[in-house]
Structures are given as C-alpha cells and as structure tokens.
Amino acid sequence: MHHVTVDRINKLVEVRLQGALDLAAIEASGAATRAAVRSLGLGPGAHVTLCDVSEGGVIDDAAIASAFAQWADPRYTVVRARKVAIVASALNRLKATAPSATRDNMALFATRAEAMRWLFA
C-alpha cells in the first residue's frame, strides 16, 4: 500500500510505502508520485521527494530495479526532483546502495529526521 502527500509550501512530495514492497507496489507508487509532482505545477528540479519504505517489508530485487528505472526514465524528466531521500530499514538500505550511488541527488537514510535535514540543507 502507498500513500502520497504534497506539501506545497515546502515543495515536498512524500511517498510512504507499507506492507509488501513488490514490483506492483513500486510501480503503482511511482505513478501516484508522478501525478502528485505534476499537481505542483513546477518545472524539473523545483521540488524534493521523500520516499519512506521503513514500514515495508524487504524490497525484492525486481522492485528496486523498477524504482531506479523509473527515476532514470527520460520520459519523466519533467517530474524529476532536485533531491530524493529514501528512508529504509538497514537491509533495504544495503539492497539499494549500489543503484543510489550512481545518483548525486539521491541518498539513503535510517530516519525521517535525517532525510528531512538533508533534503532542506
């Protein structure tokens, strides 16, 4: 299950995923996130995204690959965030370390507070 909220004042799109973190969940949350970003009416790089999967299960490899493919897809350049912070369990941070290392605007965190400080620094 996913839940997406938009903080228009801070230009923040927050995505929370809970439960099974499989391919279907990641793809559905990606579509909902892109719709939320479009609702801001801003250009590329004008917002930040917080993706919190800390309450979800272990993310399978296909779901991680799908998430990073969506973030890299040139069709979605118009909704690209200035920064993306991912809050995840220790195991999920380990699984996502390699793909996130290729993006200088993406970082993994253990807590929401750490992620928020980095997003707005």
Side-chain angles (χ1 to χ4, degrees):
M1 178 178 83
H2 66 271
H3 182 71
V4 181
T5 58
V6 176
D7 175 346
R8 294 184 184 291
I9 294 170
N10 293 306
K11 299 176 187 152
L12 167 69
V13 174
E14 185 170 351
V15 185
R16 289 181 184 232
L17 288 99
Q18 299 171 314
L21 300 175
D22 58 10
L23 184 59
I26 296 298
E27 290 182 350
S29 71
T33 301
R34 288 187 294 277
V37 171
R38 286 184 183 103
S39 79
L40 286 169
L42 303 172
H47 75 284
V48 294
T49 299
L50 173 66
C51 182
D52 187 342
V53 294
S54 62
E55 295 179 21
V58 175
I59 304 173
D60 68 41
D61 293 340
I64 289 175
S66 174
F68 285 97
Q70 289 179 61
W71 283 322
D73 192 321
R75 293 177 296 170
Y76 305 131
T77 300
V78 297
V79 294
R80 188 150 297 145
R82 181 172 47 86
K83 288 183 174 180
V84 177
I86 302 170
V87 180
S89 68
L91 179 57
N92 284 337
R93 285 194 315 273
L94 284 173
K95 291 184 79 165
T97 297
S100 67
T102 64
R103 303 255 329 242
D104 62 354
N105 69 334
M106 182 178 288
L108 301 168
F109 298 92
T111 68
R112 184 179 191 281
E114 292 172 330
M116 293 294 281
R117 279 192 296 275
W118 178 78
L119 282 172
F120 294 106

